[in-house]
Structure formats: structure tokens, C-alpha cells
């Protein structure tokens, strides 16, 4: 991971346009190719970003006090992030290695185990490929096939929020590069799914499923799995 603190402006050129005026910002360049721009607020959320696959071109640029221009171009859409840099305050790289992934709590882990054991809960004719399917950025909770033999990646949470949808989106981008699996669609499954997460998932073509923990455990009560 490369961390750059720079005084820069940022312009986004794509379906929409956006401009961040000149200010000190943190630029994160990750091993997966993603680039994100951060301020000293908004918690973990970037001001702007580009998901992989994308490329970064760094060029000298002497205009209006600037010293460099960085252009991040998305490999599929051609959309661009353009950073006009006035001053670089810090530039360092670190090798983080393979992340072991988030350790799930007991309920979340048990949901994964139960759903894998009863995969036809998601639909008749569905079959399990593998639990904890490995990828370069961590394991996918469940990889399975639907009744049409299409590949489906399932991300399971106790409480479904936006960061879970983002996580599944990254998995899908990687899995769809594998010709033996593609096309791969996603299911975001949780006991409770926040409205904002549901909207984001729908926008990205990801189906949402509300899981009933007691029903999966075989406990009789009113209600259905979905």
C-alpha cells in the first residue's frame, strides 16, 4: 500500500463530473489497483475513489504552481480521476501481505455454516461449491451455483450495512475475472439489512436476502426466511 499526503486538487471525469479544490489530502493506492482520496474527517469514507481495474499515470506538470499531474483511468469505463499536485508532503509504501480476513462473531459464523448446509434455502436446485472460497483480498463466505448452474457469491452478515455491500462488490470484481467462474452475481444476506445498504446493493445488481436465524436452526415460529 502506498500512502501519499499531498496538497492537491482532484477532478473526476466520467458519467458525472466533480471537483475538489486545492487542499492537503491523503491518497491511498492499494495493491488491488484502487485509488482513494481522503480528508481528515468522514471516518473511513473517501472523498472520491476509483475501483480496480484501473491504472495510474504520474507526469510532471508545471502550471499554476503545480508540480505534477496524476491520472487514474478505469480500465473498463474509461472514467478518470485527475490529481493536480502542488506539493507532496509524504510518500511511502508498505507491504501488508495477505490479510487473514475479518473474524466473524458466533452468530455470523453459524449463519454461514447453516446456509451452506441448507443451500437450497436460496432456491430449488442450488448447489454449494465451497465455503470460505479464497480470493486475493480474502475469502468469500459462500460460493455456489443456482438452478441454471450460474455462479453466485454470497456475503453473510449479522447486520447488513454499506461496507458489507462494498466488500461483496470487490469480491465480485475479482471473481468475474476468472473465466471458469464468470459471470458471477452476488447475494448480500443478513439478519437485518439497512435501507441504505439495500439501495446500494440494488444499484449494483446484487440481490438482498434477509436470513431468519431461528428458521435456519430448525426452530418453528411464524415468518419465512425471506
Amino acid at each position: 500500500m502506498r500512502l501519499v499526503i499531498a496538497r492537491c486538487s482532484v477532478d473526476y471525469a466520467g458519467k458525472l463530473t466533480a471537483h475538489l479544490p486545492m487542499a492537503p489530502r491523503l491518497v491511498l493506492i492499494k495493491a488491488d489497483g484502487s485509488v482513494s482520496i481522503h480528508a481528515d474527517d468522514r471516518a473511513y469514507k473517501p472523498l472520491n475513489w476509483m475501483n480496480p481495474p484501473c491504472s495510474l499515470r504520474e507526469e510532471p506538470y508545471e502550471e499554476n504552481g503545480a508540480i505534477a499531474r496524476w491520472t487514474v483511468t478505469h480500465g473498463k469505463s474509461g472514467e478518470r480521476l485527475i490529481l493536480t499536485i502542488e506539493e507532496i508532503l509524504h510518500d511511502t509504501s508498505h507491504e501488508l501481505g495477505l490479510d487473514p480476513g475479518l473474524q466473524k462473531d458466533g452468530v455470523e459464523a453459524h449463519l454461514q455454516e447453516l446456509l451452506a448446509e441448507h443451500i437450497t434455502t436460496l432456491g430449488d436446485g442450488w448447489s454449494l461449491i465451497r465455503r470460505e472460497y479464497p480470493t486475493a483480498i480474502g475469502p468469500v463466505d459462500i460460493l455456489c451455483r443456482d438452478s441454471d448452474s450460474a455462479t453466485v457469491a454470497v456475503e453473510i452478515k449479522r447486520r447488513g450495512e454499506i461496507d458489507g455491500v462494498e466488500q461483496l462488490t470487490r469480491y465480485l470484481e475479482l471473481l468475474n475475472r476468472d473465466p471458469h467462474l464468470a459471470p458471477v452475481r452476488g447475494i448480500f444476506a443478513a439478519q437485518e439489512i439497512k435501507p441504505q445498504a439495500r439501495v446500494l446493493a440494488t444499484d449494483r445488481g446484487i440481490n438482498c436476502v434477509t436470513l431468519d436465524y431461528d428458521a435456519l436452526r430448525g426452530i418453528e415460529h411464524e415468518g419465512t426466511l425471506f
Side-chain angles (χ1 to χ4, degrees):
M1 179 183 293
R2 183 179 176 190
L3 297 90
V4 179
I5 298 176
R7 182 171 175 80
C8 63
S9 64
V10 184
D11 291 279
Y12 178 82
K15 295 177 182 177
L16 301 173
T17 59
H19 174 72
L20 295 170
M22 191 70 68
R25 297 193 174 88
L26 168 65
V27 183
L28 291 182
I29 305 165
K30 295 187 177 181
D32 65 0
S34 64
V35 178
S36 56
I37 317 298
H38 297 260
D40 200 10
D41 63 3
R42 297 166 54 95
Y44 62 89
K45 295 181 180 179
L47 297 166
N48 216 323
W49 68 94
M50 188 74 75
N51 288 328
C54 57
S55 60
L56 170 62
R57 186 176 75 250
E58 303 179 34
E59 300 175 302
Y61 182 76
E62 297 181 5
E63 187 174 316
N64 299 324
I67 61 169
R69 172 166 286 182
W70 294 2
T71 303
V72 185
T73 305
H74 194 272
K76 293 182 179 179
S77 67
E79 295 178 336
R80 295 178 298 156
L81 272 180
I82 302 169
L83 287 73
T84 303
I85 298 173
E86 191 174 86
E87 182 182 11
I88 293 178
L89 305 170
H90 178 84
D91 188 349
T92 184
S93 298
H94 304 270
E95 179 61 51
L96 301 185
L98 185 64
D99 191 89
L102 179 68
Q103 299 298 313
K104 299 178 181 295
D105 66 26
V107 171
E108 201 169 299
H110 198 204
L111 278 170
Q112 182 194 123
E113 180 183 345
L114 288 168
L115 189 58
E117 185 177 351
H118 305 286
I119 198 65
T120 53
T121 301
L122 296 175
D124 292 336
W126 286 49
S127 59
L128 178 69
I129 296 175
R130 178 173 170 173
R131 285 177 56 197
E132 300 287 337
Y133 187 89
T135 76
I137 58 173
V140 178
D141 286 341
I142 291 176
L143 198 67
C144 56
R145 296 195 186 279
D146 64 17
S147 57
D148 297 321
S149 296
T151 311
V152 183
V154 184
E155 180 63 26
I156 299 171
K157 301 292 184 186
R158 186 166 56 87
R159 179 182 299 168
E161 301 191 42
I162 284 177
D163 57 349
V165 178
E166 295 282 9
Q167 182 181 0
L168 178 54
T169 300
R170 293 192 294 270
Y171 288 148
L172 290 171
E173 288 176 348
L174 282 178
L175 292 169
N176 274 298
R177 297 179 196 175
D178 186 338
H180 300 292
L181 297 175
V184 185
R185 64 184 179 93
I187 288 180
F188 188 52
Q191 287 181 281
E192 173 192 1
I193 300 177
K194 296 293 185 180
Q196 300 92 331
R198 192 178 292 273
V199 169
L200 180 61
T202 301
D203 181 68
R204 295 184 176 181
I206 295 171
N207 294 335
C208 290
V209 171
T210 303
L211 298 175
D212 187 322
Y213 184 47
D214 289 342
L216 280 172
R217 295 172 65 194
I219 299 175
E220 291 184 1
H221 72 295
E222 287 189 7
T224 62
L225 182 64
F226 304 106

